[in-house]
Amino acid sequence: MDTQKSKTALITGASSGIGQELAKLFAKDGYNLVLVARSTDKLNELGGRFWDEFGVETTVITKDLSEEDAARDVYNQVREKNLTVDVLVNDAGVGLHGLFATDTDWEKEKALIHLNVLTTTQMTKLFLKDMVARNEGKILNLASLVSIMPMPLMAVYGATKAYVNNFTQSLVNELKNTNVTITALLPNATDTDFFNKAGAAHTKVTENLDDPAVVAKDAYNALMKGAHKVIPGGFSNKSQEIMAYVTPQEALAGMMRKNMEPKDETLSEEKNNKAAWAWGISLGAVVLAGAALALLYNTSSTYDKARYRHKAGKLKSDADEVYDDVKDTLINGLNNVREAVVTAKQVVAKAKETLAEAWS
């Protein structure tokens, strides 16, 4: 156990999923906990378990954070208990699946916006002010990888996560002269109860979900380092960020919509398609990263060039891994890979265009 016994982490949405995994990591490092969610019994059960395993104290606050001024009530309860929140984790959030114009319910969307946007903003506002006054503290805001992409069939959810990401990166700049850090967590689709609650358990995206424990570990490490953002998982997830920045929005929206459509009977074909798209995107990302690295190398000092040569070696290793996986995919379905190659070519073309603008 680490020597963090005097510190406290407040985690919303702590009863399950990523929030629960993060609570476990904080408890393991000796942080006392303030756990916020709607399920009192579940939070009390977690508190008892963390006391038995790690000897940390847990304060439970039962609250529906989609309610008006819910964040203010949580803040006041914390103040009344004379607790100092050293780390705030805004993990609570919900989604809603369906066509915005005809399928989804406004009251549910209003509650979604309140929880994902208003409560996250107000919680940050209240606790950040105290952190800045102490010149110490950390905040983790749950955005999503879809915060940088269009999100058909979950349009309102995607928009709220875009807000969270933009809001967080703006505060990164505002806090740069303080000892307070704020981090945006951008996970890919994760194996939690999120899709079930959002009415999206039947969609194709649920065929390939990340482990919430892995997501939480990457998020925790980034938060402790004071990173501005973190995309958990392997190279494929990180390559999707590059893809989002260089792929035309209409094409990107089409790809995302396919992920959110219902599963069909051609499951094996869909899996091959998904693998093909992933590796095609990865190849494009490798090319883009290599081109960007070449640009930096040509405009850098001798010292920096040495560092970039090291990065180039790592990039070559990543490219070799992608190439090996592409060979496997080719064996399983050449037709699917052709589509991926087209996407990769589009990414490379956009990269060339971006680099040409940079040189001019």
Side-chain angles (χ1 to χ4, degrees):
M1 182 187 301
D2 205 49
T3 58
Q4 299 283 359
K5 285 185 177 296
S6 63
K7 292 194 173 184
T8 299
L10 187 155
I11 305 169
T12 68
S15 59
S16 62
I18 298 171
Q20 183 179 135
E21 295 296 336
L22 281 166
K24 187 186 303 181
L25 292 172
F26 279 107
K28 186 177 180 180
D29 271 356
Y31 279 81
N32 293 323
L33 302 173
V34 178
L35 303 183
V36 184
R38 291 181 296 179
S39 176
T40 304
D41 292 342
K42 182 64 175 178
L43 295 182
N44 284 331
E45 177 188 338
L46 288 174
R49 187 195 311 169
F50 293 150
W51 172 261
D52 292 340
E53 293 183 18
F54 308 114
V56 299
E57 297 181 359
T58 299
T59 299
V60 169
I61 297 179
T62 307
K63 192 68 183 177
D64 181 351
L65 293 175
S66 66
E67 295 177 349
E68 184 69 26
D69 232 20
R72 170 68 69 177
D73 185 47
V74 170
Y75 178 77
N76 288 342
Q77 289 191 53
V78 169
R79 295 272 317 255
E80 289 169 2
K81 299 176 188 299
N82 294 317
L83 297 173
T84 297
V85 172
D86 301 281
V87 181
L88 170 65
V89 177
N90 286 311
D91 173 77
V94 294
L96 185 63
H97 182 267
L99 291 169
F100 176 74
T102 57
D103 294 349
T104 55
D105 175 74
W106 168 243
E107 291 303 318
K108 291 182 179 179
E109 283 168 333
K110 184 167 66 173
L112 182 158
I113 294 169
H114 201 295
L115 173 57
N116 293 7
V117 174
L118 295 181
T119 295
T120 295
T121 306
Q122 190 177 24
M123 290 282 285
T124 302
K125 180 82 170 179
L126 294 168
F127 287 100
L128 181 59
K129 185 175 182 179
D130 292 342
M131 291 179 182
V132 170
R134 300 193 308 268
N135 198 28
E136 182 182 23
K138 296 180 181 296
I139 297 177
L140 179 69
N141 284 337
L142 180 62
S144 169
L145 199 52
V146 305
S147 68
I148 56 175
M149 305 177 186
M151 190 61 173
L153 300 181
M154 291 190 73
V156 176
Y157 169 77
T160 63
K161 291 306 178 179
Y163 170 89
V164 172
N165 186 32
N166 190 293
F167 171 63
T168 303
Q169 297 312 315
S170 297
L171 294 186
V172 166
N173 178 269
E174 292 185 14
L175 296 169
K176 65 181 181 179
N177 294 321
T178 74
N179 291 325
V180 180
T181 63
I182 186 165
T183 303
L185 170 58
L186 279 66
N188 206 339
T190 305
D191 189 11
T192 68
D193 201 32
F194 170 83
F195 290 102
N196 184 47
K197 291 179 178 177
H202 63 297
T203 57
K204 295 174 184 176
V205 71
T206 59
E207 291 298 326
N208 186 23
L209 299 175
D210 288 347
D211 184 347
V214 173
V215 171
K217 183 177 180 181
D218 287 352
Y220 186 82
N221 291 338
L223 175 69
M224 292 299 117
K225 292 176 182 177
H228 299 167
K229 67 178 179 181
V230 54
I231 298 176
F235 182 75
S236 178
N237 283 353
K238 293 174 178 61
S239 71
Q240 289 190 48
E241 178 189 22
I242 300 175
M243 176 197 70
Y245 293 141
V246 301
T247 303
Q249 290 292 290
E250 184 177 351
L252 195 59
M255 293 168 59
M256 294 301 293
R257 176 160 183 164
K258 284 183 180 296
N259 282 337
M260 297 312 301
E261 289 176 345
K263 306 170 191 174
D264 56 30
E265 296 179 358
T266 58
L267 185 59
S268 60
E269 180 181 347
E270 290 298 336
K271 286 185 175 180
N272 285 338
N273 236 347
K274 184 174 295 184
W277 278 105
W279 298 126
I281 291 165
S282 297
L283 281 169
V286 168
V287 173
L288 178 60
L293 195 59
L295 177 60
L296 289 171
Y297 183 86
N298 288 331
T299 58
S300 298
S301 65
T302 302
Y303 172 77
D304 286 333
K305 284 182 177 181
R307 292 193 301 113
Y308 291 136
R309 281 195 295 270
H310 173 75
K311 289 186 178 181
K314 177 62 170 61
L315 188 62
K316 180 181 182 300
S317 175
D318 289 336
D320 289 341
E321 291 180 8
V322 172
Y323 178 73
D324 288 340
D325 286 324
V326 169
K327 287 193 298 183
D328 292 338
T329 306
L330 280 166
I331 293 172
N332 292 328
L334 181 59
N335 289 333
N336 294 325
V337 177
R338 286 173 181 159
E339 294 185 36
V341 170
V342 171
T343 301
K345 287 180 178 178
Q346 291 175 344
V347 172
V348 172
K350 184 65 176 178
K352 289 179 178 178
E353 179 184 332
T354 303
L355 288 169
E357 292 176 358
W359 277 113
S360 62

